[in-house]
């Protein structure tokens, strides 16, 4: 009976996380819809699924194509206080009311994989900007300029400037190329792909490019990096 209760709790928690995630994506989509209505040159795609050269699937919450850049957006609807940075494998969520702590995969690393494969799919012709949006506006304790609050999203996109400027024709071309790349797979197939990726990491294989994961030492200590660096920047903490 105890095992059954544990299984039920896990199922309920997973369903709750999925619901909150979709709710967060909807809020971001509302903002992007408004921006697209105000700026007819902006295009965006939601719930984008990409198959890489190894037929592995990658689900991207939002892709935005604007005059000032291409943005790959990951949304997170975590409540409480979130602590993390770009290097950590997992972030820590603390619920103030109970003091409970939970660990989640670092969404910056998660989105870095999306950016890598998206860039490859587009022939490495464009710079893809990674952005993580915290739906509950609790990004202040996260150490990264690529993580922002939901209420900062509109200003961030409007004011972003790294010298890139796409014409309306280029925006439409990129948008059409992405639509052609949209994959039609089931959620079960995507979950199976995730499990395969985890197995590859355990076996010392880079899940992005198939290279070998080798031990390296950096500013934050020892870690595993892809042997194809700098072409592939996949890393995993030791």
């Amino acid at each position: 009976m105890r095992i059954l209760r544990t299984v039920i709790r896990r199922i309920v928690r997973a369903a709750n996380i999925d619901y909150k995630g979709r709710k967060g994506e909807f809020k971001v989509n509302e903002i992007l819809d408004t921006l697209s209505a105000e700026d007819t040159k902006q295009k965006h795609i939601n719930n984008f699924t990409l198959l890489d050269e190894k037929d592995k699937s990658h689900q991207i919450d939002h892709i935005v194509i604007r005059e000032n850049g291409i943005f790959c957006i990951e949304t997170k609807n975590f409540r409480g206080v979130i602590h993390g940075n770009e290097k950590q494998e997992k972030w820590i969520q603390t619920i103030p009311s109970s003091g409970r702590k939970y660990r989640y995969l670092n969404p910056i690393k998660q989105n870095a994989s999306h950016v890598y494969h998206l860039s490859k799919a587009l022939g490495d012709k464009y710079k893809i900007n990674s952005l993580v949006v915290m739906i509950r506006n609790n990004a202040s304790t996260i150490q990264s300029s690529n993580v922002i609050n939901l209420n900062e999203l509109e200003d961030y996109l409007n004011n972003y400037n790294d010298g890139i400027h796409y014409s309306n024709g280029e925006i439409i071309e990129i948008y059409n190329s992405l639509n052609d790349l949209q994959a039609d797979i089931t959620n079960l197939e995507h979950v199976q792909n995730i499990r395969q990726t985890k197995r590859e990491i355990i076996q010392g294989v880079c899940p992005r490019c198939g290279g070998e994961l080798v031990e390296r030492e950096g500013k934050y200590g020892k870690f595993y990096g892809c042997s194809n660096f700098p072409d592939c920047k996949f890393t995993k903490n030791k």
Side-chain angles (χ1 to χ4, degrees):
M1 183 63 71
R2 183 180 299 174
I3 295 175
L4 179 60
R5 285 199 297 266
T6 300
V7 171
I8 292 174
R9 280 199 299 268
R10 288 179 178 177
I11 292 174
V12 170
R13 185 173 177 228
N16 190 39
I17 290 173
D18 182 66
Y19 168 75
K20 289 179 179 178
R22 293 183 184 278
K23 186 177 180 181
E25 291 174 23
F26 177 76
K27 289 183 177 181
V28 170
N29 190 42
E30 283 187 316
I31 293 175
L32 297 180
D33 279 341
T34 300
L35 288 175
S36 293
E38 295 172 352
D39 181 0
T40 56
K41 292 182 181 179
Q42 174 178 298
K43 301 288 185 183
H44 71 276
I45 303 173
N46 305 310
N47 298 320
F48 181 82
T49 302
L50 174 71
L51 287 180
D52 62 25
E53 63 277 4
K54 298 166 67 177
D55 282 337
K56 289 184 179 179
S57 59
H58 306 271
Q59 288 187 341
I60 301 172
D61 292 342
H62 310 275
I63 302 173
V64 181
I65 311 107
R66 299 166 51 93
E67 282 186 305
N68 58 344
I70 305 171
F71 302 86
C72 179
I73 300 177
E74 177 75 15
T75 61
K76 291 301 175 187
N77 196 9
F78 298 153
R79 64 190 179 102
V81 181
I82 313 298
H83 288 281
N85 58 43
E86 296 179 1
K87 300 294 182 181
Q88 291 172 320
E89 287 294 324
K90 293 187 177 182
W91 287 0
I92 299 175
Q93 174 194 34
T94 303
I95 308 300
S97 59
S98 64
R100 289 186 177 181
K101 296 181 184 292
Y102 301 95
R103 292 180 180 272
Y104 293 95
L105 290 176
N106 182 344
I108 298 176
K109 287 181 174 287
Q110 180 184 359
N111 209 37
S113 179
H114 295 162
V115 168
Y116 174 85
H117 290 292
L118 193 58
S119 179
K120 290 294 181 185
L122 291 172
D124 288 325
K125 294 191 295 184
Y126 309 101
K127 177 186 176 184
I128 312 294
N129 301 295
S130 176
L131 186 62
V132 177
V133 177
M134 305 301 289
I135 302 302
R136 295 176 184 253
N137 298 314
N138 51 359
S140 61
T141 51
I142 300 169
Q143 302 170 34
S144 173
S145 59
N146 290 347
V147 181
I148 65 171
N149 291 318
L150 177 66
N151 59 15
E152 299 170 325
L153 177 58
E154 183 174 349
D155 285 342
Y156 183 95
L157 292 176
N158 284 334
N159 297 324
Y160 185 86
N161 183 7
D162 65 356
I164 289 178
H165 179 86
Y166 294 118
S167 67
N168 190 42
E170 288 174 314
I171 292 172
I172 293 173
E173 179 184 353
I174 296 167
Y175 177 74
N176 289 338
S177 295
L178 289 172
N179 277 319
D180 289 340
L181 291 168
Q182 177 79 275
D184 183 19
I185 66 169
T186 65
N187 189 57
L188 176 60
E189 289 173 319
H190 180 62
V191 170
Q192 290 172 338
N193 280 328
I194 292 174
R195 289 173 178 169
Q196 176 61 26
T197 296
K198 291 180 179 179
R199 285 194 292 268
E200 288 182 351
I201 292 175
I202 292 173
Q203 295 166 0
V205 177
C206 175
R208 288 189 192 169
C209 70
E212 180 185 359
L213 293 181
V214 296
E215 185 177 305
R216 302 183 188 277
E217 187 160 1
K219 179 180 178 181
Y220 297 94
K222 293 183 178 181
F223 66 97
Y224 291 105
C226 181
S227 58
N228 290 326
F229 178 86
D231 292 330
C232 177
K233 295 181 174 62
F234 178 83
T235 61
K236 182 183 184 303
N237 290 349
K238 188 172 180 181

